[in-house]
Amino acid sequence: MSESVTSVPTVTYAGASLVLEASIAQATSIGVPVNVAVADPGGNLVAFARMDGAALLSGSIAQDKAYTVAAFLGIPTHQWFGMIEGEPALREGIVHRDRLVVFGGGVPLRVDGALVGAVGVSGGSAEQDREIAEAGAAALSA
């Protein structure tokens, strides 16, 4: 391959389906209906599910959580607030960027250490969303 081109590993639809299924299983086990979005490393949607009873607006939030993780090379959304809280100008400015989410529920998808995508979950508390997303991510790396 040329020095002008790179090869980027990416989650497949089959992999994204594993993430969806594991996330939904975890959400069901804790009784929280959610939306789950799986994105590739470029933040593009690969797969999406909205559980019965999940809020409609949470669908776009789940997609934005996955996008945020992918757009910032794997930084989970729950880490954002801690990174910006001590910098007022950054804290006040960056949150106005389209699609940036600074609360829990978006986690990276890694296989053999490589970022292959991201999962975003929305519909519960930030902690529940994170727990559900992490369960989904674990299914891909298992």
Side-chain angles (χ1 to χ4, degrees):
M1 191 166 293
S2 159
E3 289 181 17
S4 302
V5 179
T6 184
S7 177
V8 178
T10 187
V11 65
T12 62
Y13 178 75
S17 294
L18 290 173
V19 174
L20 285 180
E21 289 173 17
S23 297
I24 291 169
Q26 182 63 25
T28 300
S29 76
I30 64 173
V32 178
V34 295
N35 293 272
V36 182
V38 179
D40 67 16
N44 303 296
L45 189 63
V46 176
F48 176 82
R50 178 174 173 233
M51 293 175 66
D52 294 340
L56 182 60
L57 183 59
S58 292
S60 60
I61 295 170
Q63 291 176 48
D64 289 349
K65 287 179 182 184
Y67 176 84
T68 296
V69 173
F72 284 96
L73 307 176
I75 298 172
T77 58
H78 66 270
Q79 290 182 0
W80 269 97
F81 188 76
M83 292 177 1
I84 65 174
E85 68 180 328
E87 296 189 49
L90 180 59
R91 184 184 66 236
E92 300 303 320
I94 200 166
V95 296
H96 296 288
R97 298 296 307 160
D98 286 344
R99 303 195 69 188
L100 177 70
V101 178
V102 298
F103 46 87
V107 300
L109 298 176
R110 294 190 188 278
V111 174
D112 297 329
L115 181 68
V116 299
V119 57
V121 173
S122 184
S125 68
E127 294 79 19
Q128 290 169 326
D129 290 352
R130 177 182 173 187
E131 173 187 336
I132 294 163
E134 287 176 345
L140 185 64
S141 60

Short mmCIF file of all heavy atoms in Angstrom, two decimals, residues 29-92:
data_model
loop_
_atom_site.label_atom_id
_atom_site.label_comp_id
_atom_site.label_asym_id
_atom_site.label_seq_id
_atom_site.Cartn_x
_atom_site.Cartn_y
_atom_site.Cartn_z
N SER A 29 -32.03 -6.19 31.13
CA SER A 29 -31.79 -6.76 32.46
C SER A 29 -31.93 -5.72 33.57
O SER A 29 -32.27 -6.08 34.69
CB SER A 29 -30.41 -7.42 32.52
OG SER A 29 -29.38 -6.45 32.62
N ILE A 30 -31.69 -4.46 33.27
CA ILE A 30 -31.86 -3.42 34.29
C ILE A 30 -33.16 -2.64 34.12
O ILE A 30 -33.42 -1.69 34.86
CB ILE A 30 -30.63 -2.47 34.37
CG1 ILE A 30 -30.45 -1.67 33.08
CG2 ILE A 30 -29.38 -3.25 34.73
CD1 ILE A 30 -29.36 -0.60 33.17
N GLY A 31 -33.96 -3.02 33.13
CA GLY A 31 -35.28 -2.43 32.95
C GLY A 31 -35.28 -1.01 32.43
O GLY A 31 -36.15 -0.21 32.80
N VAL A 32 -34.33 -0.69 31.54
CA VAL A 32 -34.23 0.67 31.00
C VAL A 32 -34.32 0.62 29.48
O VAL A 32 -33.40 0.13 28.82
CB VAL A 32 -32.90 1.34 31.42
CG1 VAL A 32 -32.78 2.73 30.82
CG2 VAL A 32 -32.77 1.39 32.93
N PRO A 33 -35.41 1.11 28.88
CA PRO A 33 -35.50 1.13 27.42
C PRO A 33 -34.63 2.25 26.85
O PRO A 33 -34.70 3.39 27.29
CB PRO A 33 -36.99 1.39 27.15
CG PRO A 33 -37.49 2.09 28.37
CD PRO A 33 -36.63 1.61 29.52
N VAL A 34 -33.77 1.88 25.90
CA VAL A 34 -32.81 2.84 25.36
C VAL A 34 -32.75 2.76 23.84
O VAL A 34 -33.27 1.84 23.22
CB VAL A 34 -31.39 2.59 25.93
CG1 VAL A 34 -31.34 2.84 27.42
CG2 VAL A 34 -30.88 1.20 25.58
N ASN A 35 -32.05 3.73 23.29
CA ASN A 35 -31.64 3.74 21.89
C ASN A 35 -30.16 3.40 21.88
O ASN A 35 -29.40 3.87 22.74
CB ASN A 35 -31.83 5.12 21.28
CG ASN A 35 -33.29 5.50 21.18
OD1 ASN A 35 -33.94 5.20 20.20
ND2 ASN A 35 -33.83 6.16 22.21
N VAL A 36 -29.73 2.61 20.90
CA VAL A 36 -28.34 2.22 20.78
C VAL A 36 -27.88 2.50 19.35
O VAL A 36 -28.53 2.09 18.39
CB VAL A 36 -28.14 0.72 21.08
CG1 VAL A 36 -26.67 0.35 21.01
CG2 VAL A 36 -28.73 0.34 22.44
N ALA A 37 -26.76 3.21 19.24
CA ALA A 37 -26.18 3.52 17.94
C ALA A 37 -24.76 3.01 17.88
O ALA A 37 -23.99 3.20 18.83
CB ALA A 37 -26.21 5.03 17.70
N VAL A 38 -24.40 2.39 16.78
CA VAL A 38 -23.03 1.93 16.56
C VAL A 38 -22.50 2.65 15.33
O VAL A 38 -23.14 2.66 14.27
CB VAL A 38 -22.97 0.40 16.36
CG1 VAL A 38 -21.52 -0.04 16.11
CG2 VAL A 38 -23.56 -0.32 17.56
N ALA A 39 -21.32 3.27 15.49
CA ALA A 39 -20.70 4.03 14.41
C ALA A 39 -19.34 3.44 14.06
O ALA A 39 -18.70 2.78 14.89
CB ALA A 39 -20.54 5.49 14.83
N ASP A 40 -18.89 3.71 12.85
CA ASP A 40 -17.54 3.31 12.43
C ASP A 40 -16.53 4.35 12.94
O ASP A 40 -16.94 5.34 13.57
CB ASP A 40 -17.50 3.12 10.91
CG ASP A 40 -17.67 4.39 10.10
OD1 ASP A 40 -17.54 5.52 10.64
OD2 ASP A 40 -17.95 4.28 8.89
N PRO A 41 -15.24 4.18 12.70
CA PRO A 41 -14.25 5.13 13.22
C PRO A 41 -14.41 6.56 12.68
O PRO A 41 -13.90 7.51 13.28
CB PRO A 41 -12.91 4.55 12.77
CG PRO A 41 -13.16 3.12 12.53
CD PRO A 41 -14.60 3.03 12.07
N GLY A 42 -15.13 6.72 11.58
CA GLY A 42 -15.40 8.05 11.04
C GLY A 42 -16.65 8.68 11.60
O GLY A 42 -17.02 9.79 11.23
N GLY A 43 -17.33 7.99 12.52
CA GLY A 43 -18.56 8.51 13.12
C GLY A 43 -19.81 8.24 12.31
O GLY A 43 -20.88 8.73 12.65
N ASN A 44 -19.68 7.45 11.25
CA ASN A 44 -20.83 7.13 10.40
C ASN A 44 -21.64 5.99 11.02
O ASN A 44 -21.08 4.99 11.46
CB ASN A 44 -20.35 6.71 9.01
CG ASN A 44 -19.51 7.78 8.38
OD1 ASN A 44 -19.98 8.87 8.11
ND2 ASN A 44 -18.24 7.47 8.18
N LEU A 45 -22.94 6.13 11.01
CA LEU A 45 -23.83 5.14 11.60
C LEU A 45 -23.74 3.81 10.84
O LEU A 45 -23.84 3.78 9.62
CB LEU A 45 -25.27 5.66 11.58
CG LEU A 45 -26.31 4.85 12.33
CD1 LEU A 45 -25.99 4.83 13.83
CD2 LEU A 45 -27.70 5.43 12.10
N VAL A 46 -23.52 2.72 11.59
CA VAL A 46 -23.47 1.38 11.02
C VAL A 46 -24.75 0.62 11.37
O VAL A 46 -25.31 -0.09 10.54
CB VAL A 46 -22.24 0.60 11.52
CG1 VAL A 46 -22.24 -0.84 11.00
CG2 VAL A 46 -20.95 1.31 11.13
N ALA A 47 -25.21 0.77 12.62
CA ALA A 47 -26.42 0.07 13.06
C ALA A 47 -27.09 0.87 14.17
O ALA A 47 -26.42 1.59 14.91
CB ALA A 47 -26.07 -1.33 13.55
N PHE A 48 -28.39 0.71 14.29
CA PHE A 48 -29.16 1.47 15.27
C PHE A 48 -30.36 0.64 15.71
O PHE A 48 -30.95 -0.08 14.91
CB PHE A 48 -29.65 2.79 14.65
CG PHE A 48 -30.53 3.59 15.57
CD1 PHE A 48 -29.98 4.39 16.54
CD2 PHE A 48 -31.91 3.51 15.46
CE1 PHE A 48 -30.79 5.12 17.41
CE2 PHE A 48 -32.73 4.24 16.31
CZ PHE A 48 -32.16 5.04 17.29
N ALA A 49 -30.72 0.77 16.98
CA ALA A 49 -31.94 0.13 17.49
C ALA A 49 -32.59 1.05 18.51
O ALA A 49 -31.91 1.69 19.31
CB ALA A 49 -31.61 -1.22 18.14
N ARG A 50 -33.92 1.10 18.46
CA ARG A 50 -34.70 1.82 19.46
C ARG A 50 -35.60 0.80 20.13
O ARG A 50 -36.49 0.22 19.50
CB ARG A 50 -35.54 2.92 18.80
CG ARG A 50 -36.41 3.67 19.79
CD ARG A 50 -37.11 4.85 19.11
NE ARG A 50 -38.04 5.44 20.04
CZ ARG A 50 -39.33 5.66 19.78
NH1 ARG A 50 -39.83 5.37 18.59
NH2 ARG A 50 -40.11 6.19 20.69
N MET A 51 -35.35 0.58 21.41
CA MET A 51 -36.16 -0.38 22.16
C MET A 51 -37.57 0.17 22.35
O MET A 51 -37.78 1.40 22.37
CB MET A 51 -35.53 -0.64 23.53
CG MET A 51 -34.20 -1.36 23.48
SD MET A 51 -33.42 -1.54 25.11
CE MET A 51 -34.59 -2.65 25.92
N ASP A 52 -38.53 -0.71 22.48
CA ASP A 52 -39.90 -0.30 22.78
C ASP A 52 -39.88 0.53 24.05
O ASP A 52 -39.27 0.15 25.05
CB ASP A 52 -40.80 -1.52 22.97
CG ASP A 52 -40.98 -2.33 21.70
OD1 ASP A 52 -40.75 -1.79 20.59
OD2 ASP A 52 -41.34 -3.52 21.81
N GLY A 53 -40.52 1.68 24.01
CA GLY A 53 -40.61 2.54 25.17
C GLY A 53 -39.47 3.54 25.32
O GLY A 53 -39.50 4.39 26.21
N ALA A 54 -38.46 3.46 24.46
CA ALA A 54 -37.36 4.42 24.53
C ALA A 54 -37.81 5.76 23.95
O ALA A 54 -38.55 5.81 22.97
CB ALA A 54 -36.15 3.91 23.76
N ALA A 55 -37.35 6.83 24.55
CA ALA A 55 -37.73 8.18 24.11
C ALA A 55 -37.21 8.45 22.70
O ALA A 55 -36.07 8.10 22.36
CB ALA A 55 -37.18 9.22 25.08
N LEU A 56 -38.03 9.07 21.89
CA LEU A 56 -37.67 9.37 20.51
C LEU A 56 -36.45 10.28 20.42
O LEU A 56 -35.53 10.02 19.64
CB LEU A 56 -38.86 10.02 19.80
CG LEU A 56 -38.68 10.35 18.33
CD1 LEU A 56 -38.38 9.10 17.53
CD2 LEU A 56 -39.94 11.03 17.79
N LEU A 57 -36.38 11.33 21.22
CA LEU A 57 -35.25 12.26 21.17
C LEU A 57 -33.94 11.58 21.54
O LEU A 57 -32.87 11.95 21.06
CB LEU A 57 -35.49 13.47 22.08
CG LEU A 57 -34.42 14.55 22.07
CD1 LEU A 57 -34.24 15.12 20.66
CD2 LEU A 57 -34.77 15.65 23.05
N SER A 58 -34.01 10.55 22.36
CA SER A 58 -32.80 9.83 22.76
C SER A 58 -32.12 9.14 21.58
O SER A 58 -30.94 8.82 21.64
CB SER A 58 -33.12 8.80 23.84
OG SER A 58 -33.47 9.44 25.04
N GLY A 59 -32.85 8.92 20.50
CA GLY A 59 -32.25 8.30 19.32
C GLY A 59 -31.13 9.14 18.75
O GLY A 59 -30.04 8.63 18.46
N SER A 60 -31.38 10.41 18.58
CA SER A 60 -30.32 11.27 18.03
C SER A 60 -29.21 11.51 19.04
O SER A 60 -28.04 11.65 18.68
CB SER A 60 -30.90 12.60 17.54
OG SER A 60 -31.51 13.31 18.60
N ILE A 61 -29.54 11.49 20.33
CA ILE A 61 -28.51 11.64 21.36
C ILE A 61 -27.58 10.43 21.35
O ILE A 61 -26.35 10.57 21.43
CB ILE A 61 -29.13 11.86 22.75
CG1 ILE A 61 -29.91 13.18 22.78
CG2 ILE A 61 -28.06 11.84 23.84
CD1 ILE A 61 -30.77 13.38 24.02
N ALA A 62 -28.13 9.22 21.21
CA ALA A 62 -27.30 8.02 21.13
C ALA A 62 -26.35 8.09 19.94
O ALA A 62 -25.17 7.77 20.04
CB ALA A 62 -28.18 6.77 21.04
N GLN A 63 -26.88 8.55 18.81
CA GLN A 63 -26.04 8.68 17.62
C GLN A 63 -24.94 9.72 17.83
O GLN A 63 -23.80 9.52 17.42
CB GLN A 63 -26.90 9.03 16.41
CG GLN A 63 -27.81 7.88 16.00
CD GLN A 63 -28.74 8.24 14.87
OE1 GLN A 63 -28.31 8.80 13.86
NE2 GLN A 63 -30.02 7.91 15.02
N ASP A 64 -25.27 10.81 18.50
CA ASP A 64 -24.28 11.85 18.76
C ASP A 64 -23.22 11.38 19.76
O ASP A 64 -22.05 11.78 19.67
CB ASP A 64 -24.95 13.12 19.27
CG ASP A 64 -25.74 13.84 18.19
OD1 ASP A 64 -25.61 13.48 17.00
OD2 ASP A 64 -26.51 14.76 18.54
N LYS A 65 -23.60 10.53 20.71
CA LYS A 65 -22.61 9.98 21.64
C LYS A 65 -21.60 9.13 20.88
O LYS A 65 -20.38 9.24 21.10
CB LYS A 65 -23.29 9.18 22.75
CG LYS A 65 -24.02 10.03 23.77
CD LYS A 65 -24.69 9.17 24.82
CE LYS A 65 -25.46 10.01 25.82
NZ LYS A 65 -26.04 9.19 26.90
N ALA A 66 -22.08 8.26 20.00
CA ALA A 66 -21.17 7.44 19.21
C ALA A 66 -20.29 8.32 18.33
O ALA A 66 -19.08 8.10 18.21
CB ALA A 66 -21.96 6.43 18.37
N TYR A 67 -20.87 9.32 17.72
CA TYR A 67 -20.12 10.24 16.87
C TYR A 67 -19.03 10.97 17.66
O TYR A 67 -17.89 11.10 17.20
CB TYR A 67 -21.07 11.26 16.23
CG TYR A 67 -20.35 12.30 15.41
CD1 TYR A 67 -19.99 12.04 14.09
CD2 TYR A 67 -20.02 13.53 15.95
CE1 TYR A 67 -19.31 12.99 13.35
CE2 TYR A 67 -19.35 14.49 15.22
CZ TYR A 67 -19.00 14.22 13.91
OH TYR A 67 -18.33 15.16 13.18
N THR A 68 -19.37 11.43 18.87
CA THR A 68 -18.41 12.15 19.71
C THR A 68 -17.19 11.28 19.99
O THR A 68 -16.05 11.73 19.88
CB THR A 68 -19.06 12.59 21.03
OG1 THR A 68 -20.10 13.54 20.74
CG2 THR A 68 -18.06 13.24 21.97
N VAL A 69 -17.43 10.03 20.36
CA VAL A 69 -16.32 9.11 20.66
C VAL A 69 -15.45 8.91 19.42
O VAL A 69 -14.22 9.00 19.48
CB VAL A 69 -16.85 7.76 21.19
CG1 VAL A 69 -15.71 6.75 21.33
CG2 VAL A 69 -17.58 7.96 22.51
N ALA A 70 -16.07 8.66 18.28
CA ALA A 70 -15.31 8.44 17.05
C ALA A 70 -14.56 9.71 16.63
O ALA A 70 -13.39 9.64 16.25
CB ALA A 70 -16.25 7.97 15.93
N ALA A 71 -15.22 10.85 16.73
CA ALA A 71 -14.62 12.11 16.27
C ALA A 71 -13.42 12.52 17.11
O ALA A 71 -12.54 13.24 16.62
CB ALA A 71 -15.67 13.22 16.28
N PHE A 72 -13.36 12.06 18.34
CA PHE A 72 -12.23 12.40 19.21
C PHE A 72 -11.38 11.16 19.52
O PHE A 72 -10.83 11.02 20.61
CB PHE A 72 -12.71 13.11 20.48
CG PHE A 72 -13.08 14.54 20.21
CD1 PHE A 72 -14.39 14.89 19.96
CD2 PHE A 72 -12.10 15.52 20.18
CE1 PHE A 72 -14.73 16.20 19.68
CE2 PHE A 72 -12.43 16.83 19.90
CZ PHE A 72 -13.74 17.19 19.65
N LEU A 73 -11.30 10.27 18.53
CA LEU A 73 -10.35 9.15 18.53
C LEU A 73 -10.46 8.24 19.75
O LEU A 73 -9.47 7.73 20.24
CB LEU A 73 -8.92 9.69 18.39
CG LEU A 73 -8.69 10.61 17.18
CD1 LEU A 73 -7.28 11.15 17.19
CD2 LEU A 73 -9.01 9.89 15.89
N GLY A 74 -11.69 8.05 20.23
CA GLY A 74 -11.93 7.05 21.27
C GLY A 74 -12.12 7.57 22.67
O GLY A 74 -12.23 6.78 23.60
N ILE A 75 -12.18 8.88 22.87
CA ILE A 75 -12.41 9.40 24.22
C ILE A 75 -13.87 9.13 24.59
O ILE A 75 -14.79 9.59 23.91
CB ILE A 75 -12.13 10.91 24.31
CG1 ILE A 75 -10.67 11.20 24.00
CG2 ILE A 75 -12.50 11.45 25.70
CD1 ILE A 75 -10.34 12.68 23.87
N PRO A 76 -14.11 8.38 25.67
CA PRO A 76 -15.50 8.12 26.09
C PRO A 76 -16.19 9.43 26.50
O PRO A 76 -15.54 10.33 27.03
CB PRO A 76 -15.35 7.19 27.30
CG PRO A 76 -13.97 6.63 27.21
CD PRO A 76 -13.14 7.68 26.53
N THR A 77 -17.48 9.49 26.28
CA THR A 77 -18.20 10.73 26.58
C THR A 77 -18.20 11.07 28.06
O THR A 77 -18.24 12.25 28.42
CB THR A 77 -19.65 10.69 26.05
OG1 THR A 77 -20.34 9.58 26.63
CG2 THR A 77 -19.68 10.59 24.52
N HIS A 78 -18.12 10.07 28.94
CA HIS A 78 -18.14 10.36 30.38
C HIS A 78 -16.86 11.07 30.84
O HIS A 78 -16.84 11.63 31.93
CB HIS A 78 -18.39 9.10 31.21
CG HIS A 78 -17.30 8.08 31.13
ND1 HIS A 78 -17.29 7.09 30.18
CD2 HIS A 78 -16.18 7.91 31.88
CE1 HIS A 78 -16.21 6.34 30.34
NE2 HIS A 78 -15.52 6.82 31.37
N GLN A 79 -15.82 11.07 30.04
CA GLN A 79 -14.57 11.74 30.42
C GLN A 79 -14.57 13.23 30.07
O GLN A 79 -13.75 13.98 30.58
CB GLN A 79 -13.38 11.06 29.77
CG GLN A 79 -13.09 9.70 30.32
CD GLN A 79 -11.87 9.06 29.68
OE1 GLN A 79 -11.21 9.63 28.82
NE2 GLN A 79 -11.56 7.85 30.13
N TRP A 80 -15.47 13.64 29.21
CA TRP A 80 -15.43 15.01 28.69
C TRP A 80 -15.58 16.09 29.76
O TRP A 80 -14.81 17.04 29.78
CB TRP A 80 -16.49 15.20 27.60
CG TRP A 80 -15.91 14.89 26.27
CD1 TRP A 80 -16.01 13.72 25.59
CD2 TRP A 80 -15.08 15.74 25.49
NE1 TRP A 80 -15.30 13.78 24.43
CE2 TRP A 80 -14.72 15.02 24.34
CE3 TRP A 80 -14.62 17.03 25.64
CZ2 TRP A 80 -13.91 15.56 23.35
CZ3 TRP A 80 -13.81 17.57 24.65
CH2 TRP A 80 -13.47 16.83 23.54
N PHE A 81 -16.56 15.98 30.62
CA PHE A 81 -16.79 17.07 31.56
C PHE A 81 -15.57 17.30 32.44
O PHE A 81 -15.15 18.44 32.66
CB PHE A 81 -18.04 16.84 32.42
CG PHE A 81 -18.37 18.05 33.25
CD1 PHE A 81 -18.96 19.15 32.67
CD2 PHE A 81 -18.04 18.10 34.60
CE1 PHE A 81 -19.24 20.28 33.42
CE2 PHE A 81 -18.32 19.22 35.36
CZ PHE A 81 -18.91 20.32 34.77
N GLY A 82 -14.96 16.22 32.92
CA GLY A 82 -13.76 16.36 33.73
C GLY A 82 -12.61 17.02 32.98
O GLY A 82 -11.78 17.71 33.57
N MET A 83 -12.55 16.81 31.67
CA MET A 83 -11.48 17.40 30.87
C MET A 83 -11.68 18.89 30.63
O MET A 83 -10.71 19.61 30.43
CB MET A 83 -11.40 16.69 29.50
CG MET A 83 -10.92 15.27 29.61
SD MET A 83 -10.86 14.29 28.07
CE MET A 83 -11.37 15.34 26.77
N ILE A 84 -12.92 19.35 30.66
CA ILE A 84 -13.17 20.76 30.32
C ILE A 84 -13.63 21.62 31.49
O ILE A 84 -13.64 22.84 31.37
CB ILE A 84 -14.20 20.88 29.17
CG1 ILE A 84 -15.58 20.36 29.58
CG2 ILE A 84 -13.69 20.19 27.92
CD1 ILE A 84 -16.68 20.58 28.56
N GLU A 85 -13.99 21.01 32.63
CA GLU A 85 -14.59 21.79 33.71
C GLU A 85 -13.67 22.88 34.26
O GLU A 85 -14.15 23.93 34.69
CB GLU A 85 -15.08 20.89 34.84
CG GLU A 85 -14.00 20.19 35.62
CD GLU A 85 -14.57 19.32 36.72
OE1 GLU A 85 -15.61 19.65 37.29
OE2 GLU A 85 -13.96 18.27 36.99
N GLY A 86 -12.36 22.68 34.22
CA GLY A 86 -11.43 23.67 34.75
C GLY A 86 -10.99 24.73 33.74
O GLY A 86 -10.17 25.57 34.06
N GLU A 87 -11.52 24.66 32.53
CA GLU A 87 -11.16 25.62 31.49
C GLU A 87 -12.43 26.34 31.01
O GLU A 87 -13.07 25.89 30.07
CB GLU A 87 -10.48 24.91 30.33
CG GLU A 87 -9.16 24.26 30.71
CD GLU A 87 -8.41 23.76 29.50
OE1 GLU A 87 -8.28 24.53 28.52
OE2 GLU A 87 -7.99 22.61 29.53
N PRO A 88 -12.79 27.45 31.65
CA PRO A 88 -14.05 28.12 31.34
C PRO A 88 -14.27 28.44 29.87
O PRO A 88 -15.37 28.22 29.35
CB PRO A 88 -14.00 29.40 32.19
CG PRO A 88 -13.07 29.07 33.30
CD PRO A 88 -12.06 28.12 32.72
N ALA A 89 -13.28 28.96 29.20
CA ALA A 89 -13.48 29.33 27.78
C ALA A 89 -13.76 28.08 26.94
O ALA A 89 -14.67 28.08 26.11
CB ALA A 89 -12.25 30.06 27.25
N LEU A 90 -13.01 27.02 27.17
CA LEU A 90 -13.24 25.78 26.44
C LEU A 90 -14.59 25.19 26.82
O LEU A 90 -15.38 24.78 25.96
CB LEU A 90 -12.12 24.78 26.75
CG LEU A 90 -12.22 23.43 26.08
CD1 LEU A 90 -12.23 23.56 24.56
CD2 LEU A 90 -11.07 22.53 26.53
N ARG A 91 -14.90 25.16 28.12
CA ARG A 91 -16.16 24.59 28.60
C ARG A 91 -17.35 25.31 27.99
O ARG A 91 -18.33 24.70 27.58
CB ARG A 91 -16.22 24.66 30.13
CG ARG A 91 -17.45 24.01 30.72
CD ARG A 91 -17.53 24.18 32.22
NE ARG A 91 -17.72 25.60 32.55
CZ ARG A 91 -16.92 26.30 33.36
NH1 ARG A 91 -15.88 25.75 33.93
NH2 ARG A 91 -17.17 27.56 33.61
N GLU A 92 -17.29 26.62 27.94
CA GLU A 92 -18.42 27.40 27.40
C GLU A 92 -18.50 27.33 25.88
O GLU A 92 -19.58 27.43 25.31
CB GLU A 92 -18.33 28.85 27.86
CG GLU A 92 -18.37 29.03 29.37
CD GLU A 92 -19.61 28.44 30.01
OE1 GLU A 92 -20.71 28.57 29.45
OE2 GLU A 92 -19.47 27.83 31.09
#
